[in-house]
Each structure stands twice: as C-alpha cells, then as structure tokens.
Amino acid sequence: MNAQIEFPKDFLWGTATAAHQVEGNNVNSDVWVLEHVPGSPYVEPSDDACDHYHRYREDIALLAELGFNMYRFSLEWARIEPEEGEFSRAVLEHYRDMLRACHEHGITPMVTFHHFTSPRWLIASGGWESRNTADKFARYCERTTEYLGDLIGAACTINEANIAPLITKLEFSPPPRQLHKEAWWSAAAKALGVSPRRFAPFLYATSPKAIDTILTAHRKGMEAIKAGAGDFQVGITLALLDIQAIEGGETLAAQMRHEINDVFLENLGGDDFVGVQTYSRTRFGPQGLLPAEEGVELTQMDYEFWPEALEATIRYAISKTGLPVIVTENGVSTTDDTRRVEYIRRALQGVTNCINDGLPVRGYTYWSAFDNFEWSLGYRPTFGLIAVNRETQERTVKPSARWLGAIARANAF
Ligand code: BGC
C-alpha cells in the first residue's frame, strides 16, 4: 500500500461536462442537425440529455457535496448568439446563475467557450474552414466575457482544438473528402445552407486552413477574454493520446505526434496553461496504426484501458510548451464502477509522479460528472461518476464519485 500523497495547495479537483452533452435540446447547433438528418451516423439524438439546462443548481450542489472544488462546463455559443450579432441576455443570465451557483458552493467555475458545437449560422457562413470564423469567435468571447467575466474562475477557449485531425488520422472517422460522397453529409449541409464541399463543422475541419483558423480563433478569443471583465487563467485544451512506437514504428509515430499534437502545442504563445485531455494510448508499427494489444482490457469505447497514458501526455505537453498543465479531462467509460476507481487511481499515480518531479500540474478533472450524450455513440458509453435515469432524470451517485470526492476533499490520496 502506498503512503498517502498530498497534493499542492489550491490544486483543482474537478469534474467536466459540455453543454451539448448534458443540457438538452440544443436545437440551434450544427450537431443537432447532424443527429437528425436521414442516415445520420449518430445512433440516437441528444434529446433532453441530462436536462442540466434546468437542473444545474441541484447538480452543482451535488458536486460540491461530493467534495469537488472545481466544475468545468461549456457555454453554448448557439444559445448565446442564436443569430449572427444577436446576443441573448436571457441565456447569458442563465450562465451567470450557473457561475453564481458554483461560487455559492465554493466551487471554482472553469468555462469552455467552444466544445465541439457551433451555431447553425456560423456553419452556413463557412464554418471552421472560413477565416472569418476566428473574428466571429473573438466577438462572441468578448460579449460573453463582458457579461460573465467577473464570475469566471478559469477559461478554456476551444475544447480539443486538434480533435478533427486526430479522429481522421487515427481512423476514428473518415476524412471530409470521403464524407462528401455520403448522402447524410449532403443532407446536413443542405439543412444548414451550405454546399457539401463547403460544409465544415468543427469535428470535421481538418485542412491546414481550418487548423490555422482554429489556432487564430484561440489566440483572438484569448485576447478578447483577457481584455474583458475578471482576472483568471485562460488556456486551450487538446486531445492528447499517448502515441507510442513499436519496433520500427518510430518515424510514423513521430510524424503523428507532430501532425496531431505539436502543430498545436507549439503555437500557444501567451497562454496561462494547457488543458490536457487523455483517455488512452495508440501504437504505431512500421506499417501504421496497430490494433489494441492482445490481452489489454478494452473500454466501452473499444480502445485500451490505459490510465498510464496520462502521465506520458502531461510530460509531453510540458516539454513542448513549458506551460503549467491542468488535466481538463481524463476518464473511462465502463459499466463496472470498480474499474473506474482503478483507472482513476492509476491515472492519479501518474499525476503525482509528475508533481514529485517538480512539474507544474495544477488540477485534475474527471470526465464526466454525469453519464451523458457521447456524440455519435449516443447514451450507451457511461463515463459518469453520477448515473442519470433517461426516463426520470434521477441522479444516482456511483461509489467512484464518493471515492474521488473524498480524495478531492482531503487533497490527498
Ligand atoms: C471530449 C468529450 C467526450 C470525451 C469522451 C473528449 O474527446 O471533449 O466531449 O465526451 O472525450 O469521449
């Protein structure tokens, strides 16, 4: 049995959600359209999700009661700016009340300005393949920070800025040039008022121009946030898999690390932290991507149960940026809650190894607070510390939530 490990004072112990995955009825967003077109690859629509848009006060109280001192949630651009240039005061007031609820419970609110979903009008005007999108994002950040900034505890501009190259290069999804041929893609483009070739939702924006637009949006968004109300740390988050090389796979693995991670990590000037989001590892041999290693347990996502990946990606992110790290997402989808405890225990061991080596790791955020809408996979994967009954919306705290909450409260494990 290990000795008790103390975490640095002010260490952030959080859980995370994203608006589209928990709020419900995010009807003005592009993903809502993607879910509903005929032939959609989404296995089911997001529907009421966890009705967090209405239940946030009870939900935040529950997270505080469990022992967490931070809550990371996203602001929904499609709600805040439902038509270009029209900002909804009522929606901003809604998010203001979420921030207030966090403060009332001693929770630091970390907000994400963009978590995969975009307003329909943005996609109609070229989406993430249009350079103007960076300025539009910055204007949304500016107006939102003006209204909310005094209550924000920390901010992420864009969630997983590198997700589109990651999912196409690692073959989780076909690249847009193949998607052009699919009927559902054309139907979604048509519904959003663009040609299939100009259809650029965030999750599919992979071209060099799109990557440049996303990085520019981050930089301009960050400037707008920092110039506004409040005084808090601002960063970006990245999906960082531990990309490993197996005999002869070194060149390919290095190329993948460069294209998926370094292009982003090496362009973060002026950020206060980098948000590391890690779930597993991936391996490359001389011929390319390797399947899961025989004998290694798989999660509900069909990738390896590999909590050690987190230590590797924290070290990688710090070596490339020199910035402090906040683990803004780490977690596992499983129906066996004892495996969740095991996963977090081993991931936290990695975090403490980094801290013991003097590396600046400022927080750990578990994905996710609730079982929620796992994008195209719907509600089957269960990442949550808290289960949600889809019929009644009743919340049930899992043992892993109490276990991690107790660590958070003690600031030691
Ligand atoms: C995303 C979340 C997602 C999680 C689990 C991350 O890529 O930020 O929205 O639910 O991973 O797959």
Side-chain angles (χ1 to χ4, degrees):
M1 169 111 182
N2 286 333
Q4 171 153 305
I5 300 160
E6 299 274 343
F7 282 80
K9 194 176 147 285
D10 300 329
F11 193 78
L12 295 169
W13 290 99
T15 63
T17 60
H20 191 82
Q21 295 176 269
V22 292
E23 287 183 343
N25 302 297
N26 189 17
V27 300
N28 197 38
S29 71
D30 55 349
V31 175
W32 184 268
V33 176
L34 290 172
E35 289 166 18
H36 287 87
V37 288
S40 167
Y42 282 69
V43 299
E44 59 186 323
S46 52
D47 193 42
D48 283 339
C50 305
D51 195 27
H52 189 57
Y53 198 79
H54 300 106
R55 294 170 196 257
Y56 61 95
R57 280 208 156 256
E58 298 97 277
D59 288 342
I60 290 168
L62 178 56
L63 294 172
E65 183 203 308
L66 286 168
F68 296 100
N69 65 14
M70 186 265 263
Y71 177 42
R72 173 173 176 246
F73 60 94
S74 75
L75 308 171
E76 183 52 61
W77 188 1
R79 292 189 200 270
I80 292 178
E81 191 179 356
E83 290 295 342
E84 181 165 10
E86 292 178 24
F87 289 83
S88 164
R89 220 185 159 77
V91 172
L92 286 166
E93 191 47 46
H94 163 85
Y95 287 118
R96 208 169 158 78
D97 197 53
M98 279 188 84
L99 295 166
R100 243 185 251 124
C102 289
H103 289 289
E104 283 164 24
H105 290 284
I107 285 189
T108 298
M110 172 185 265
V111 300
T112 306
F113 281 77
H114 186 273
H115 194 125
F116 295 172
T117 46
S118 306
R120 291 181 186 222
W121 60 261
L122 187 87
I123 303 304
S125 66
W128 293 91
E129 292 281 353
S130 163
R131 290 200 195 277
N132 296 336
T133 287
D135 288 323
K136 292 175 180 171
F137 179 70
R139 178 183 56 190
Y140 151 68
C141 289
E142 183 199 322
R143 293 290 292 270
T144 303
T145 308
E146 188 181 302
Y147 204 89
L148 304 178
D150 59 322
L151 295 182
I152 292 176
C156 309
T157 53
I158 296 179
N159 180 69
E160 297 191 341
N162 62 337
I163 189 71
L166 183 148
I167 58 182
T168 54
K169 287 182 199 294
L170 299 182
E171 298 168 19
F172 290 114
S173 160
R177 62 179 180 283
Q178 286 173 27
L179 291 171
H180 288 151
K181 297 175 205 138
E182 299 204 16
W184 70 269
W185 178 265
S186 301
K190 190 167 170 221
L192 285 159
V194 273
S195 75
R197 292 200 172 275
R198 284 196 70 225
F199 184 36
F202 183 81
L203 286 169
Y204 303 92
T206 51
S207 74
K209 185 175 163 195
I211 291 171
D212 185 55
T213 299
I214 290 169
L215 282 166
T216 309
H218 162 62
R219 191 173 40 72
K220 291 190 170 183
M222 187 170 63
E223 279 163 17
I225 295 167
K226 283 195 167 285
D231 182 17
F232 48 86
Q233 306 244 301
V234 188
I236 196 169
T237 86
L238 296 172
L240 297 177
L241 277 157
D242 179 16
I243 300 175
Q244 302 183 351
I246 304 302
E247 308 88 55
E250 288 77 11
T251 313
L252 261 182
Q255 185 191 331
M256 283 300 147
R257 277 187 221 111
H258 174 76
E259 290 175 8
I260 300 174
N261 302 339
D262 302 353
V263 166
F264 295 85
L265 287 167
E266 287 166 0
N267 276 292
L268 301 183
D271 294 34
D272 295 314
F273 66 88
V274 52
V276 166
Q277 311 201 159
T278 297
Y279 291 87
S280 190
R281 67 168 180 175
T282 193
R283 302 175 316 138
F284 280 85
Q287 311 310 328
L289 196 59
L290 293 172
E293 189 175 350
E294 212 165 303
V296 174
E297 176 181 349
L298 299 183
T299 75
Q300 285 178 308
M301 302 291 283
D302 274 340
Y303 50 63
E304 290 176 328
F305 180 104
W306 202 264
E308 285 69 28
L310 183 60
E311 176 172 352
T313 57
I314 293 173
R315 290 182 188 277
Y316 191 79
I318 295 175
S319 74
K320 291 281 164 184
T321 63
L323 292 172
V325 156
I326 299 177
V327 177
T328 40
E329 284 182 28
N330 174 249
V332 64
S333 64
T334 173
T335 50
D336 179 351
D337 199 49
T338 64
R339 298 308 291 152
R340 189 177 336 277
V341 169
E342 174 65 5
Y343 181 95
I344 303 172
R345 194 185 62 70
R346 280 161 53 186
L348 286 179
Q349 184 59 56
V351 173
T352 54
N353 294 344
C354 294
I355 293 173
N356 289 343
D357 284 348
L359 295 175
V361 189
R362 308 281 191 243
Y364 175 86
T365 314
Y366 182 79
W367 180 274
S368 174
F370 306 101
D371 288 341
N372 63 38
F373 183 67
E374 182 53 27
W375 306 108
S376 63
L377 301 178
Y379 289 98
R380 182 188 55 84
T382 47
F383 281 90
L385 295 172
I386 299 166
V388 176
N389 180 311
R390 304 268 329 116
E391 298 299 314
T392 63
Q393 291 292 348
E394 190 192 340
R395 276 57 172 152
T396 305
V397 171
K398 301 180 191 177
S400 56
R402 301 225 180 268
W403 175 81
L404 183 58
I407 293 172
R409 185 173 282 117
N411 199 30
F413 104 110

